[in-house]
């Protein structure tokens, strides 16, 4: 091939690349990642990145937080509603790839993202106005942080909930250490360690959502909420209760984990992750074997951090849990499993992470303890 042809081919590729970048920049100007609107007496937050399942990034956090605080202190705003655009996801999680790229080169995003995300999670948990999250579609990780600490969480038959962080060398953060151990029995620990997915009405039955409303009724529900005059939390609760009572879809089906709850409580009651794995293997039932197999694929370090996180978080305030989780997030940024997990699951997608250490036995108590130690003046403050 002649040099002229090569040069023009290269030039064409560069032009195409430039057009792609410009197109991306233009589309991000036309379609902001989050829409913040006042509708009636409601402040409405719409997570607006449907092409990436409404993944949460730092610019979005920096828009939502000040607006939430403003609405909280505004006499003209009675309630706050948060929803996802596009129908597929409420919010599938944080923009984890960007965070790992930053962590590799020591970019401050690796600190700022977690710090500001957790400050937002706390603001949602302490919001004085009724906060209503319409968690339709995929709701995982960062999306759980945008919803679960609010007063009301409405699931539909399209809701898919999970905290799958142990599979990527992280831990169920965004206040997972607060809400998970407060679910019944050992359900929270089970969901945290295994990343088990809950769907539809089961999200409400587990206690993650406060209400279940059929998807087709959501537009009508939104309309009624924004048109309410000076509603109290009790007024909002009554409206949600009435929509739930009109939603009979799947009501005859039992909770997916009903027949396993006594097993979960028994098998996940142990003073260590190794003890849980031993319980599962010794039990030998199909359910126990499946959970043992799932745990064998997770980061051993993540499993041990998560176990300790939930045990400690059971008696802590949300704020204190988030301080603890910020320390853990920075420990994960210093380690190697988070980068390897993201590579295996999200980047190369070979689903074959090489964890270091590779077994639970090799993860020392001292190594786990270190992850929880204070960062001094870099600790999270509110």
């Amino acid at each position: 091939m002649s040099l002229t042809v090569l040069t023009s081919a290269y030039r064409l590729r560069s032009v195409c690349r430039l057009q792609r970048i410009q197109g991306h920049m233009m589309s991000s100007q036309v379609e902001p990642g989050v829409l913040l609107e006042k509708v009636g007496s409601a402040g409405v937050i719409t997570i607006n990145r449907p092409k990436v399942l409404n993944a949460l990034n730092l610019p979005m956090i920096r828009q939502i937080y000040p607006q939430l605080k403003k609405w909280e202190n505004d006499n003209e705003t009675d309630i706050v509603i948060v929803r996802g655009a596009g129908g597929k996801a409420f919010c599938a999680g944080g923009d984890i790839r960007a965070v790992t790229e930053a962590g590799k080169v020591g970019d401050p995003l690796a600190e700022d993202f977690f710090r500001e995300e957790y400050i937002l999670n706390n603001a949602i948990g302490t919001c004085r106005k009724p906060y209503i999250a319409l968690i339709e579609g995929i709701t995982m990780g960062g999306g759980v942080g945008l919803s679960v600490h609010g007063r009301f969480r409405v699931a539909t038959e399209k809701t898919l909930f999970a905290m799958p962080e142990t599979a990527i060398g992280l831990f169920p953060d965004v206040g997972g250490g607060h809400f998970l151990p407060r679910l019944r029995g050992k359900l929270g620990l089970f969901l945290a360690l295994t990343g088990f997915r809950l769907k539809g009405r089961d999200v409400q039955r587990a206690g993650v959502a406060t209400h279940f409303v059929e998807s087709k009724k959501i537009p009508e529900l939104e309309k009624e909420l924004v048109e309410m005059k000076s509603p109290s939390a009790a007024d909002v609760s009554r409206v949600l209760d009435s929509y739930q009572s009109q939603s009979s879809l799947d009501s005859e089906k039992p909770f997916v984990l009903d027949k396993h709850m006594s097993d979960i409580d028994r098998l996940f009651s142990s003073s260590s992750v190794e003890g849980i794995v031993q319980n599962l293997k010794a039990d030998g039932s199909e359910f126990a074997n499946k959970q043992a197999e799932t745990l064998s694929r997770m980061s051993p370090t993540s499993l041990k951090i998560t176990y300790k996180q939930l045990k400690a978080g059971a008696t802590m305030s949300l704020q204190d849990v988030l301080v603890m989780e910020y320390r853990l997030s920075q420990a994960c940024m210093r380690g190697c499993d988070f980068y390897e997990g993201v590579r295996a699951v999200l980047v190369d997608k070979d689903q074959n992470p090489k964890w270091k250490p590779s077994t639970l036995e090799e993860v020392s108590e001292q190594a786990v303890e270190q992850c929880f130690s204070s960062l001094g003046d870099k600790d999270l403050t509110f």
Side-chain angles (χ1 to χ4, degrees):
M1 193 184 286
S2 74
L3 190 59
T4 318
V5 175
L6 270 173
T7 308
S8 58
Y10 177 76
R11 197 174 290 135
L12 183 66
R13 269 211 306 277
S14 300
V15 169
C16 290
R17 192 180 299 123
L18 188 62
Q19 283 171 340
R20 276 204 306 275
I21 292 166
Q22 285 171 338
H24 171 73
M25 286 164 76
M26 280 166 68
S27 71
S28 62
Q29 284 164 3
V30 176
E31 300 167 32
V34 60
L35 305 173
L36 303 162
E37 303 162 284
K38 188 76 191 301
V39 186
S41 64
V44 181
I45 302 164
T46 305
I47 312 301
N48 190 41
R49 298 178 75 205
K51 286 177 184 163
V52 287
L53 300 176
N54 293 330
L56 184 67
N57 62 24
L58 190 55
M60 292 159 73
I61 293 166
R62 287 178 172 171
Q63 285 176 277
I64 296 169
Y65 177 76
Q67 188 62 67
L68 179 62
K69 297 309 274 183
K70 204 166 152 185
W71 281 334
E72 187 178 12
N73 297 309
D74 171 28
N75 294 333
E76 305 293 305
T77 306
D78 295 320
I79 61 172
V80 177
I81 298 170
V82 61
R83 57 204 287 283
K88 274 193 177 174
F90 167 69
C91 168
D95 196 345
I96 291 300
R97 283 180 71 164
V99 174
T100 51
E101 288 306 315
K104 285 176 193 168
V105 295
D107 186 283
L109 175 69
E111 293 176 8
D112 296 345
F113 177 81
F114 291 107
R115 182 187 294 113
E116 295 182 43
E117 183 183 27
Y118 296 177
I119 288 170
L120 174 58
N121 299 151
N122 184 62
I124 291 166
T126 56
C127 185
R128 293 189 307 276
K129 303 274 169 82
Y131 182 97
I132 306 138
L134 304 174
I135 54 170
E136 183 158 50
I138 302 166
T139 305
M140 297 185 185
V144 176
L146 288 178
S147 54
V148 78
H149 307 299
R151 176 71 184 80
F152 302 104
R153 292 91 63 189
V154 181
T156 77
E157 69 274 16
K158 295 178 180 174
T159 304
L160 174 64
F161 162 91
M163 294 298 278
E165 289 82 2
T166 55
I168 56 165
L170 200 57
F171 59 95
D173 65 336
V174 297
H178 188 263
F179 84 87
L180 288 163
R182 285 164 175 78
L183 300 179
R184 65 182 134 140
K186 292 290 175 184
L187 179 59
L189 182 62
F190 167 75
L191 295 172
L193 296 177
T194 64
F196 187 89
R197 296 176 167 204
L198 293 170
K199 295 172 188 165
R201 198 179 275 275
D202 287 341
V203 179
Q204 189 253 337
R205 287 172 168 149
V208 174
T210 56
H211 293 80
F212 174 84
V213 174
E214 288 169 20
S215 180
K216 64 183 181 193
K217 292 184 167 53
I218 292 289
E220 194 188 323
L221 169 62
E222 284 189 67
K223 188 170 182 290
E224 191 161 333
L225 288 170
V226 301
E227 287 174 356
M228 290 174 85
K229 298 279 175 268
S230 309
S232 64
D235 296 330
V236 172
S237 197
R238 271 194 295 277
V239 169
L240 295 176
D241 288 348
S242 101
Y243 274 81
Q244 177 169 266
S245 67
Q246 299 162 44
S247 299
S248 57
L249 188 72
D250 295 336
S251 59
E252 75 297 339
K253 288 184 187 169
F255 177 46
V256 68
L257 292 170
D258 247 0
K259 60 182 180 291
H260 301 300
M261 273 315 298
S262 59
D263 291 334
I264 287 170
D265 289 346
R266 177 174 54 84
L267 299 167
F268 282 74
S269 291
S270 176
S271 57
S272 67
V273 182
E274 289 95 331
I276 292 170
V277 172
Q278 275 174 339
N279 289 348
L280 292 168
K281 286 180 175 170
D283 184 78
S285 67
E286 188 188 347
F287 176 76
N289 287 342
K290 195 171 180 192
Q291 306 322 311
E293 205 268 314
T294 297
L295 293 183
S296 74
R297 294 197 305 270
M298 304 306 185
S299 155
T301 302
S302 288
L303 291 173
K304 287 203 171 180
I305 287 173
T306 299
Y307 179 89
K308 191 175 170 71
Q309 169 207 3
L310 264 64
K311 193 174 181 186
T315 56
M316 290 162 85
S317 68
L318 175 59
Q319 237 182 55
D320 289 344
V321 164
L322 291 165
V323 170
M324 167 178 75
E325 290 181 358
Y326 182 70
R327 292 171 179 172
L328 296 177
S329 77
Q330 296 311 294
C332 289
M333 296 309 301
R334 293 192 302 269
C336 53
D337 275 6
F338 183 34
Y339 301 97
E340 174 59 7
V342 169
R343 180 207 65 73
V345 175
L346 302 175
V347 182
D348 298 342
K349 299 184 180 174
D350 57 30
Q351 312 299 329
N352 189 25
K354 301 283 183 276
W355 305 123
K356 288 180 191 168
S358 62
T359 65
L360 287 166
E361 291 69 29
E362 289 173 278
V363 182
S364 70
E365 190 51 46
Q366 187 189 0
V368 174
E369 276 294 334
Q370 268 176 338
C371 298
F372 287 80
S373 44
S374 168
L375 300 168
D377 60 3
K378 285 199 156 189
D379 258 339
L380 176 63
T381 52
F382 296 95

